[in-house]
Amino acid sequence: MDHIVLTKGMVLKQTPIGEFDRRVEILTVDRGRITAFARGARRQGGKLTATTDFFCFGDFKLYPGREAYTLSDANITDFFIELRNDFEATLYGMYFLEVAQFNTRENIPEKELLKTLYLALKKCTSGQMEKSLIKLVYELKVMGLMGEYKKSERIDLLPATKYAEQFILATEPEKLFSFTLVPEAKHQLKLIIDREKARLWQHTFKSEEMLEPFL
């Protein structure tokens, strides 16, 4: 029993292994991103089949190994059913997962990033905020949490753009997704974020390419 690890997290990625198993990457509260093997997760009716899918958020029971964990059980508290039933929201959600996976490292806690990811996914199905704006807020907040974001020094920015940038960087995740922007300010914010993405991430996200028709 001493070797059991209990942690809360979200499934970022799942890959088929062999005929019946899955390899999953889980972003956890206290252990950061971890890799775990779920035996029998691809068997029809297996107890780990539904709990190892994308977006699954809840409590995971694992056994640590030399290079990865073994997932033995999970109590999923949120499957994000509403998000899965909305194709556009699903694409945004897959992008958010991919960004989280790219920006985290094994066994380095990222509690605030996990919280930001969870709330961004929730907001995508609320109808209270434009999904394209949620994406900008999420991207900027992740870069800020990673400590590598360089604040814009452009002098032609609208006051609303400057305020939005400062607000996103300084605000806790629970209050992040709570504002709107006029089109001009939103466009400026996107230009700032795209510049920083090109500088910091230098990566092509497959899910973002699929999102292009909706942006």
Side-chain angles (χ1 to χ4, degrees):
M1 294 295 290
D2 292 341
H3 297 291
I4 294 176
V5 172
L6 299 175
T7 188
K8 186 178 293 292
M10 179 182 293
V11 176
L12 300 179
K13 185 176 181 180
Q14 51 109 324
T15 308
I17 297 292
E19 189 174 357
F20 300 114
D21 305 334
R22 276 179 180 166
R23 176 183 180 273
V24 294
E25 292 186 38
I26 306 170
L27 183 59
T28 69
V29 169
D30 54 347
R31 292 172 181 259
R33 176 165 56 84
I34 63 173
T35 298
F37 290 98
R39 310 298 181 188
R42 297 176 64 211
R43 290 182 184 273
Q44 187 173 2
K47 74 171 185 175
L48 297 179
T49 302
T51 62
T52 53
D53 206 356
F54 298 104
F55 306 119
C56 285
F57 178 85
D59 299 300
F60 295 88
K61 180 179 179 180
L62 309 111
Y63 292 91
R66 289 184 178 180
E67 298 181 358
Y69 294 82
T70 296
L71 178 63
S72 65
D73 202 1
N75 177 31
I76 302 303
T77 56
D78 201 333
F79 288 92
F80 287 92
I81 300 299
E82 298 87 353
L83 186 146
R84 296 170 188 269
N85 291 333
D86 180 334
F87 180 67
E88 181 184 355
T90 299
L91 290 180
Y92 274 97
M94 293 300 294
Y95 173 66
F96 296 163
L97 295 184
E98 197 175 354
V99 168
Q101 195 272 341
F102 177 78
N103 281 280
T104 52
R105 299 292 177 265
E106 293 273 351
N107 300 308
I108 298 178
E110 293 291 354
K111 182 178 179 180
E112 293 303 296
L113 196 153
L114 174 60
K115 193 182 299 182
T116 302
L117 170 62
Y118 180 86
L119 293 170
L121 293 174
K122 277 296 186 185
K123 204 69 176 181
C124 266
T125 57
S126 70
Q128 299 172 347
M129 191 174 187
E130 287 182 293
K131 295 182 182 68
S132 55
L133 181 55
I134 296 171
K135 178 177 181 286
L136 294 177
V137 174
Y138 177 74
E139 290 169 334
L140 179 50
K141 189 62 176 179
V142 169
M143 287 188 281
L145 289 172
M146 294 299 100
E148 299 175 329
Y149 178 77
K150 184 178 179 180
K151 190 176 177 181
S152 177
E153 297 179 354
R154 285 177 51 177
I155 61 174
D156 62 334
L157 295 179
L158 294 169
T161 308
K162 294 179 182 178
Y163 178 79
E165 181 187 40
Q166 295 169 357
F167 177 83
I168 294 166
L169 293 172
T171 302
E172 58 194 40
E174 291 85 352
K175 298 178 181 178
L176 257 186
F177 305 97
S178 59
F179 66 94
T180 59
L181 277 179
V182 296
E184 295 84 354
K186 181 182 172 185
H187 177 68
Q188 286 187 338
L189 186 64
K190 183 179 185 303
L191 291 178
I192 293 170
I193 292 171
D194 285 347
R195 179 205 68 197
E196 285 299 280
K197 284 167 59 179
R199 182 179 73 87
L200 295 174
W201 294 349
Q202 300 179 17
H203 180 77
T204 299
F205 296 97
K206 293 180 180 179
S207 51
E208 187 173 28
E209 292 181 334
M210 296 176 65
L211 265 176
E212 283 299 324
F214 299 97
L215 297 176

